[in-house]
Amino acid sequence: MKRTLLTLLLLAAAALPAAADGGMWLPSLIGTRIKEMRAKGFRLTAEDIYSINRASMKDAVVLFDGGCTGELVSAEGLLLTNHHCGYDAIQRHSSVEHDYLTHGFWARSRAGELPNEGLNVRFLVRMEEVTDRIAAGETADAIVAAACAEGTGYKASVEQMYYGNQQFLFVYEQFDDVRLVAAPPSSIGKFGGDTDNWIWPRHTGDFSVFRIYAGPDNKPAAYSPQNVPYRPKRHFAVSTRGVREGDFTMIYGFPGNTQQYILSDVVRYICETSDPMKIDIRTGRLDIIAAAQASDPALRIRYAARHARIANAWKKWQGEVLGLTRRGIAGRKARDEERFVRETAAAGFEGYDTLLAELKEEFARIRPYYYTHELLSETLRTLRFAYSDAERRDALFARCEPVERDLYRQAFREYDARCTELEPIAAFREGVARCGTAEAYADRIFRLVLDDPAHAEIEALRKGIAAQLDAIVGALGTRSLRNCNSARMNELYARYVAGIRRLAALRGEEGDLFPDANLTLRVAYGAVAGYEYADGEYHRPLTTVDGIIAKDNPAIYDYDIPQALRDLHATKEYGRWAVEVDGRRTVPVCFLASNHTTGGNSGSPVLNGRGELVGINFDRTWRSTMSDIAFDPAICRNIAVDIRYVLLVIDRIGGAGYLIDEMTLVR
Ligand code: ARG
Ligand code: GLU
């Protein structure tokens, strides 16, 4: 009964105007959202989220390793992020004798915490709008240089919001001594593997633990044994009270890239051409790799990371196409565009009458270039045309050789078959003609790369690829080849979004718009929420340890759990982490919520209405990934690991209760 009511409420929410849904808000402007956040269950203030005068929540959030998010959970610099964000570090410390990926890692003392060269975290010191200063003639470079000089380890950048309608300076404090403290075995941290990736119901303990070290003055310092644990201005209290469906949640992190304002034509290109092409080509690559992995345990390990990387976006794009298509986003955007033309005319705004036509025309012009760029990225540019002597000698490489050769053949074949929108690379075309087929040409180049790496044919092909790329960059007028953009598209989008904002301002709704994600710090808020997965199939938002046991299968690599977890489940000795769910004694594992997130939000703190940590974000559901283009409240859900499962694993699997003693637990 309760659930029916909730479903009805959710359906009612879905009927609200699109502007009120989703959102990745700039922390310094969060004041404009606070009323709505409080109506939804947030109990704190805008100053608690972001303040430059006193410690605030932003001081407990970091950009982790340049592409993930992490959060501080102790006064001694202890940090949580995802297992998949710490993966590189964990892998680098692993060897056959100390296989931390497989068995997990638990530093038993501060001295046992492992330094990681090249790994850094960044705190946001402050952000401020500099649009006017730049308009008045200051350069972004000068603004950045001045900000960097403000403190030890300071980094800064000026970032564009709304296609350059606004510019913001971001000042960061960067710490370079970040040590690995703990990681669960992959059978927990990556439980479900690629099978469950982007999928709900989920049972992954996707977390790892690091510690930030600083110089004796608490300032950033290069790695040194003399460094001491960093004392952060703020850390999050960890709530063991747990979450229930409908509870307010907030995510504070670094979303990487969204494209909310793109043209309907671009959405159609993504759904009908770009994503399907990339999915098809990757299916071929994954088939080759998976067959090799199935044939040989050494190859399974050797290709594990590569397979995971290729499969991640491959699966995401499939969900994105499904979501965008089923929810009719291209059509919705086309209607928005018509309304834009009507409303700007009615409002008497000048300069917008031909804008959309110009955008469409420019996109039609750049489409073949953009398509060819994407094709190159998925084919010839995935190949290595040079191997080190050591790699060639490497006994393992001999076993990889047939796999690598097949990947060459596949890439050459796909480029040959699909390069129809621009003239194919001349050297490539000649090579195919000379050898008879693309595959024969692939074989030849592959052999040369191994046996005669200085051969002119390799160089000719490499130069050809570079030249085609140069031609594409030239036609697009920009080196940042993403989001189907060009320098001209960017200018036109800037005008388009300026118009959208003016119209919103007329309605008093300017505050409902937010700039696309660009790896700057953002706040998203929503609620713990299930959703209707299919007709008559409602997905509840919480999973438990019992679900892990139900999936457990030693014969399936992705579902083979550690014996310790089986034992724990058998005895039900969950200690203080136990809860009752449907009358069962168990521990929560993952939950779903309606926060607007994207890549980069991995590892982000999921906070309750009191600003306490209740989970760590790590994924979205499959079709949710449409939210990079349009957030649909009916289906878009982020996936978090419940903090109580993290605590259970640290405590009962890792035997690392001393880490929990450092945290501030609240109920
Ligand atoms: N889908 C998540 C993300 O985009 C998790 C990826 C890592 N996990 C995996 N099974 N490959 O990063
Ligand atoms: N797993 C993603 C990441 O690494 C987050 C999932 C998403 O795209 O929402 O950032």
Side-chain angles (χ1 to χ4, degrees):
M1 180 61 200
K2 257 206 193 123
R3 213 156 71 222
T4 324
L5 253 175
L6 247 161
T7 314
L8 281 175
L9 281 174
L10 282 173
L11 286 175
L16 290 173
D21 302 320
M24 297 170 168
W25 309 98
L26 290 169
S28 62
L29 304 177
I30 200 66
T32 61
R33 309 307 301 174
I34 272 299
K35 216 173 131 207
E36 193 190 78
M37 289 174 74
R38 291 186 61 94
K40 293 187 165 177
F42 187 59
R43 310 255 185 109
L44 306 176
T45 65
E47 277 274 298
D48 291 322
I49 294 175
Y50 176 92
S51 172
I52 46 170
N53 303 312
R54 59 174 174 88
S56 60
M57 282 154 78
K58 77 152 170 63
D59 298 311
V61 182
V62 294
L63 176 65
F64 182 89
D65 203 15
C68 277
T69 304
E71 54 275 8
L72 277 290
V73 288
S74 94
E76 295 171 273
L78 200 66
L79 175 159
L80 295 176
T81 186
N82 287 149
H83 185 262
H84 78 261
C85 296
Y87 202 83
D88 276 351
I90 305 165
Q91 181 167 35
R92 269 200 299 271
H93 289 296
S94 294
S95 60
V96 178
E97 304 82 63
H98 301 286
D99 185 352
Y100 303 138
L101 275 181
T102 304
H103 304 297
F105 171 75
W106 308 94
R108 294 291 160 196
S109 66
R110 297 279 158 91
E113 298 178 353
L114 303 173
N116 301 285
E117 215 189 309
L119 173 64
N120 65 58
V121 298
R122 282 183 176 191
F123 290 88
L124 179 65
V125 177
R126 65 188 163 84
M127 54 183 287
E128 76 190 61
E129 188 172 357
V130 293
T131 318
D132 292 345
R133 286 169 63 184
I134 287 176
E138 279 186 73
T139 68
D141 284 350
I143 293 174
V144 163
C148 288
E150 286 173 21
T152 313
Y154 274 32
K155 310 280 172 188
S157 64
V158 168
E159 303 293 343
Q160 313 289 314
M161 304 290 164
Y162 301 111
Y163 294 88
N165 278 296
Q166 285 183 299
Q167 281 133 321
F168 278 80
L169 168 68
F170 289 82
V171 184
Y172 301 98
E173 186 178 27
Q174 176 174 312
F175 289 82
D176 293 304
D177 187 353
V178 182
R179 304 188 195 169
L180 177 63
V181 173
S186 291
S187 50
I188 287 176
K190 209 175 180 289
F191 178 78
D194 286 333
T195 315
D196 282 7
N197 194 21
W198 303 111
I199 295 288
W200 185 261
R202 191 62 158 276
H203 300 90
T204 312
D206 198 343
F207 79 92
S208 58
V209 189
F210 288 80
R211 190 187 306 279
I212 304 170
Y213 280 76
D217 56 359
N218 208 35
K219 298 256 166 59
Y223 168 77
S224 155
Q226 265 72 57
N227 284 351
V228 294
Y230 170 65
R231 296 182 307 282
K233 293 191 199 74
R234 245 318 277 275
H235 67 271
F236 288 112
V238 174
S239 170
T240 56
R241 198 184 318 117
V243 290
R244 284 197 272 166
E245 185 151 19
D247 282 357
F248 174 89
T249 55
M250 163 181 154
I251 286 193
Y252 212 166
F254 289 88
N257 179 37
T258 60
Q259 29 185 348
Q260 306 283 315
Y261 297 100
I262 52 171
L263 214 53
S264 57
D265 306 44
V266 178
V267 178
R268 227 173 301 111
Y269 165 74
I270 290 170
C271 287
E272 293 168 8
T273 307
S274 162
D275 278 1
M277 179 252 294
K278 295 187 291 191
I279 293 163
D280 269 7
I281 295 175
R282 286 198 180 200
T283 302
R285 266 154 86 197
L286 288 169
D287 285 349
I288 292 167
I289 294 171
Q293 285 183 296
S295 74
D296 181 342
L299 292 180
R300 186 182 60 66
I301 296 169
R302 176 91 180 204
Y303 284 100
R306 191 136 141 220
H307 188 279
R309 197 169 358 94
I310 300 169
N312 194 40
W314 169 78
K315 201 164 178 185
K316 177 194 153 149
W317 290 324
Q318 294 175 57
E320 181 173 79
V321 170
L322 263 181
L324 290 171
T325 311
R326 288 204 196 159
R327 307 301 293 180
I329 300 305
R332 197 192 289 176
K333 282 208 172 273
R335 286 190 295 279
D336 288 349
E337 287 157 12
E338 282 162 25
R339 183 147 38 89
F340 176 87
V341 174
R342 265 198 326 271
E343 289 183 4
T344 45
F349 295 169
E350 274 171 35
Y352 294 111
D353 42 349
T354 59
L355 178 61
L356 276 157
E358 287 173 71
L359 258 172
K360 283 168 186 285
E361 192 185 318
E362 170 65 2
F363 181 62
R365 182 187 75 80
I366 69 165
R367 210 193 105 120
Y369 295 96
Y370 202 81
Y371 171 85
T372 309
H373 151 61
E374 295 197 289
L375 176 63
L376 270 175
S377 300
E378 291 296 324
T379 57
L380 302 181
R381 294 187 71 206
T382 65
L383 301 175
R384 292 177 58 191
F385 291 109
Y387 293 98
S388 68
D389 289 343
E391 280 169 322
R392 268 195 304 263
R393 274 196 312 271
D394 185 352
L396 195 56
F397 188 74
R399 284 145 91 180
C400 295
E401 208 182 296
V403 190
E404 298 294 324
R405 192 204 50 228
D406 283 354
L407 290 170
Y408 257 75
R409 287 184 178 169
Q410 195 253 359
F412 277 55
R413 210 169 49 229
E414 292 288 7
Y415 178 80
D416 188 45
R418 294 177 197 262
C419 189
T420 50
E421 305 216 354
L422 290 187
E423 199 55 30
I425 296 162
F428 183 91
R429 215 186 30 221
E430 288 155 20
V432 173
R434 227 175 21 249
C435 298
T437 63
E439 286 200 359
Y441 178 46
D443 283 354
R444 170 156 180 84
I445 295 290
F446 183 65
R447 279 266 50 99
L448 288 176
V449 167
L450 290 187
D451 300 339
D452 188 6
H455 198 282
E457 276 184 49
I458 302 173
E459 198 43 31
L461 179 57
R462 284 166 98 163
K463 280 204 175 123
I465 294 170
Q468 182 156 66
L469 213 54
D470 278 348
I472 291 167
V473 166
L476 300 186
T478 172
R479 292 213 156 261
S480 78
L481 302 180
R482 61 173 201 176
N483 296 354
C484 305
N485 221 342
S486 70
R488 174 85 182 129
M489 290 284 281
N490 206 63
E491 283 168 29
L492 294 167
Y493 274 137
R495 276 164 56 198
Y496 179 40
V497 175
I500 291 175
R501 297 177 80 204
R502 283 179 72 186
L503 286 176
L506 272 189
R507 295 190 299 265
E509 289 169 2
E510 205 185 357
D512 288 345
L513 299 174
F514 58 93
D516 273 317
N518 54 3
L519 211 61
T520 58
L521 188 60
R522 305 295 178 97
V523 172
Y525 56 89
V528 176
Y531 72 118
E532 185 151 323
Y533 172 75
D535 188 28
E537 190 177 344
Y538 186 77
H539 278 192
R540 293 171 68 184
L542 304 168
T543 59
T544 66
V545 167
D546 304 75
I548 300 179
I549 300 301
K551 282 179 179 171
D552 176 27
N553 184 342
I556 300 174
Y557 181 77
D558 285 346
Y559 292 143
D560 184 14
I561 60 171
Q563 188 56 37
L565 199 52
R566 289 184 195 116
D567 296 344
L568 206 51
H569 177 259
T571 59
K572 301 266 188 301
E573 278 170 13
Y574 301 132
R576 54 181 162 154
W577 318 116
V579 298
E580 287 261 313
V581 174
D582 298 340
R584 298 183 328 257
R585 183 181 164 82
T586 189
V587 178
V589 173
C590 290
F591 63 88
L592 274 185
S594 59
N595 302 281
H596 193 174
T597 56
T598 188
N601 273 124
S602 271
S604 297
V606 186
L607 306 161
N608 65 15
R610 293 185 171 87
E612 301 154 354
L613 190 69
V614 291
I616 308 171
N617 186 69
F618 71 96
D619 209 2
R620 280 174 290 173
T621 59
W622 215 33
R623 288 174 288 163
S624 290
T625 60
M626 67 178 278
S627 68
D628 289 351
I629 292 165
F631 184 90
D632 190 319
I635 64 167
C636 290
R637 297 290 178 270
N638 65 297
I639 304 177
V641 53
D642 193 302
I643 204 67
R644 291 167 296 175
Y645 184 56
V646 173
L647 295 171
L648 172 82
V649 171
I650 291 177
D651 184 17
R652 308 308 298 276
I653 303 290
Y658 50 88
L659 293 177
I660 298 172
D661 296 340
E662 256 188 81
M663 303 178 191
T664 310
L665 261 49
V666 293
R667 257 200 92 80

